[in-house]
Amino acid sequence: MTQHLVTIHHRDDYDPSVEGEAMQRKSPSTQTSNQLTRRDFAIRTAGFGLALGLAPAATLAEAQQASHSETSPAVADPYSLVDPELLPVLKQFPAVDLSAELVGEFRQLPAMPPLPGPAPQPVERHIPGPPGAPEVRLWVVDPAPLKKAKPLLLHMHGGGLMMRDPEWMPLLQGIATDCHCVVVSVDYRLAPETRYPGSLEDNYAALKWVHAHAAELGIDRSRIAVGGESAGGGHAASLAIHARDRKEVPIIIQLLIYPQLDDRTGSSHPAPPAIGHFMWTASANRFAWSSLLGVPAGSSKVPAAAVPARAASVAGLPPAWIGVGSIDLFAEEDMEYARRLVHAGVATELLVVPGAFHGFDRLVPDAEVSQQFSASWKSALRRAFATGKADIAE
């Protein structure tokens, strides 16, 4: 199936709170300005989720030109930086001028269905939410229901802090099967309707729940990992920090797949010339973080506790695996976070994939770099489950 990039374009003075209101008002039956059918839109977003490119451009060429003028006049051809095996699929992606209303439309689209048996099937659960908040929906995938003392990955999905990953269910099934663990994924509340710390507290409620219900889940509560992709990776890093500080639940490893860690990237920290041209741009990052935080990304108004990269100390955090592409917008922030962890004495593995853009492994899963990347994080997770146990304070 051919996969396509969907980009969203907004004015520079765009207010994310207005988008939240528009999403709630918009009828799912509204026709898009690009005359996309629901089926077309689902196909165009199924490969990776919804990538938000917010530069004021209507075509891919114009978007690239705007990106050049903003951050990288020295890079004549960003495509020249891309791994050759990834390039053909990337070049198939048209830019789509997507409105705030269409984001609401996207949320109404059905996700990719779970893989059929014998793949383990996702089971929906609802648990008590944070105080004063709604219940939290979880998806539980157990590859061996009769087995006891299994490891568990608490997973946070990607989607730019505002959406869900259309490939969510097959992804969970693949992790459970390949890593021989129970996977519990959190359907945390989304921005901009829910600001910080809503999603963090949803994720923390899920962490406490799996720890307290270890016997029911058939898991070893000394082998709980947290992880996710992109925005989900950022959520996982934030959860690890808050779990360390609250001292209630031990975590054996944090699995951070091209994590979104720093609101300052693309705002007060300009993107370097070679990165951030594809799939996730500086303007997208500003918009997403501002939507979550309710204040301008990169500003002095941002609470440090809301952003992993702003944490005063990373000492005492669980071991980490961090992977990112060399031309991903998050490359610098992810490498810097790994550096801080290493300096603090936290066991850390960092993988930087040459010529890889954000979400490359999901768009071109059969590419050699994608297979190596996936094999690396799965190996790290299996190794942590096999060799380590988190300390449990009784």
Side-chain angles (χ1 to χ4, degrees):
M1 177 179 69
T2 300
Q3 300 162 326
H4 301 277
L5 171 67
V6 178
T7 60
I8 297 178
H9 307 297
H10 294 294
R11 303 185 312 273
D12 292 338
D13 60 350
Y14 184 73
D15 181 354
S17 65
V18 175
E19 175 172 319
E21 296 170 2
M23 288 178 188
Q24 293 169 337
R25 293 194 307 265
K26 192 66 176 178
S27 166
S29 62
T30 301
Q31 295 299 314
T32 73
S33 59
N34 296 286
Q35 298 181 335
L36 294 176
T37 66
R38 290 176 64 86
R39 177 179 177 276
D40 289 337
F41 191 43
I43 290 173
R44 288 179 182 226
T45 57
F48 171 62
L50 195 58
L52 302 178
L54 306 180
T59 67
L60 181 58
E62 291 169 354
Q64 292 166 351
Q65 184 177 0
S67 179
H68 295 175
S69 64
E70 179 181 353
T71 62
S72 52
V75 178
D77 179 16
Y79 281 124
S80 67
L81 305 173
V82 179
D83 180 281
E85 199 172 0
L86 304 175
L87 193 56
V89 173
L90 180 63
K91 283 194 169 183
Q92 293 176 11
F93 285 13
V96 177
D97 191 10
L98 194 62
S99 67
E101 289 78 10
L102 195 52
V103 176
E105 183 90 357
F106 173 82
R107 288 185 178 181
Q108 300 300 319
L109 292 171
M112 188 175 293
L115 301 171
Q121 296 302 297
V123 175
E124 183 176 348
R125 297 289 300 266
H126 292 261
I127 65 168
E135 287 186 331
V136 178
R137 182 171 70 165
L138 307 177
W139 290 99
V140 181
V141 182
D142 188 344
L146 300 180
K147 225 178 142 180
K148 303 298 182 185
K150 294 164 289 197
L152 179 140
L153 171 67
L154 185 67
H155 172 265
M156 276 63 73
H157 66 79
L161 306 172
M162 293 178 285
M163 289 157 290
R164 295 171 179 84
D165 183 346
E167 290 187 326
W168 195 1
M169 295 307 152
L171 174 66
L172 303 183
Q173 292 171 290
I175 297 173
T177 300
D178 294 343
C179 298
H180 314 295
C181 64
V182 177
V183 179
V184 175
S185 192
V186 191
D187 190 8
Y188 55 83
R189 286 170 290 169
L190 302 171
E193 294 90 345
T194 300
R195 309 287 194 190
Y196 170 82
S199 51
L200 168 65
E201 295 301 338
D202 288 350
N203 294 328
Y204 192 78
L207 179 64
K208 287 193 68 176
W209 185 85
V210 298
H211 185 257
H213 290 78
E216 175 188 344
L217 293 167
I219 67 161
D220 176 357
R221 66 178 189 157
S222 72
R223 293 192 294 161
I224 296 174
V226 299
E229 318 80 37
S230 192
H235 280 307
S238 183
L239 181 59
I241 293 169
H242 288 269
R244 174 201 64 182
D245 295 344
R246 298 180 191 185
K247 297 180 172 59
E248 294 180 303
V249 180
I251 293 171
I252 193 171
I253 187 173
Q254 48 182 326
L255 180 68
L256 311 181
I257 300 172
Y258 33 79
Q260 185 176 5
L261 298 173
D262 197 340
D263 68 293
R264 296 165 294 187
T265 297
S267 53
S268 55
H269 294 174
I275 73 172
H277 292 275
F278 306 109
M279 298 306 299
W280 191 258
T281 65
S283 52
N285 211 45
R286 293 193 298 269
F287 175 76
W289 275 109
S290 298
S291 297
L292 176 69
L293 300 169
V295 296
S299 72
S300 60
K301 298 178 180 179
V302 174
V307 181
R310 290 179 180 254
S313 172
V314 296
L317 287 175
W321 185 96
I322 302 174
V324 66
S326 66
I327 57 174
D328 190 322
L329 180 71
F330 299 150
E332 276 206 326
E333 67 184 56
D334 291 354
M335 290 187 290
E336 171 61 14
Y337 200 67
R339 183 197 66 79
R340 291 186 64 196
L341 290 170
V342 169
H343 282 203
V346 177
T348 302
E349 182 176 355
L350 172 66
L351 175 60
V352 181
V353 181
F357 47 81
H358 193 67
F360 70 98
D361 57 322
R362 305 288 295 280
L363 265 70
V364 197
D366 294 332
E368 183 177 356
V369 290
S370 299
Q371 293 180 350
Q372 292 173 347
F373 184 79
S374 297
S376 178
W377 66 256
K378 289 176 182 178
S379 174
L381 187 58
R382 288 192 296 263
R383 188 166 58 249
F385 286 151
T387 62
K389 287 184 178 288
D391 294 331
I392 298 179
E394 299 294 347

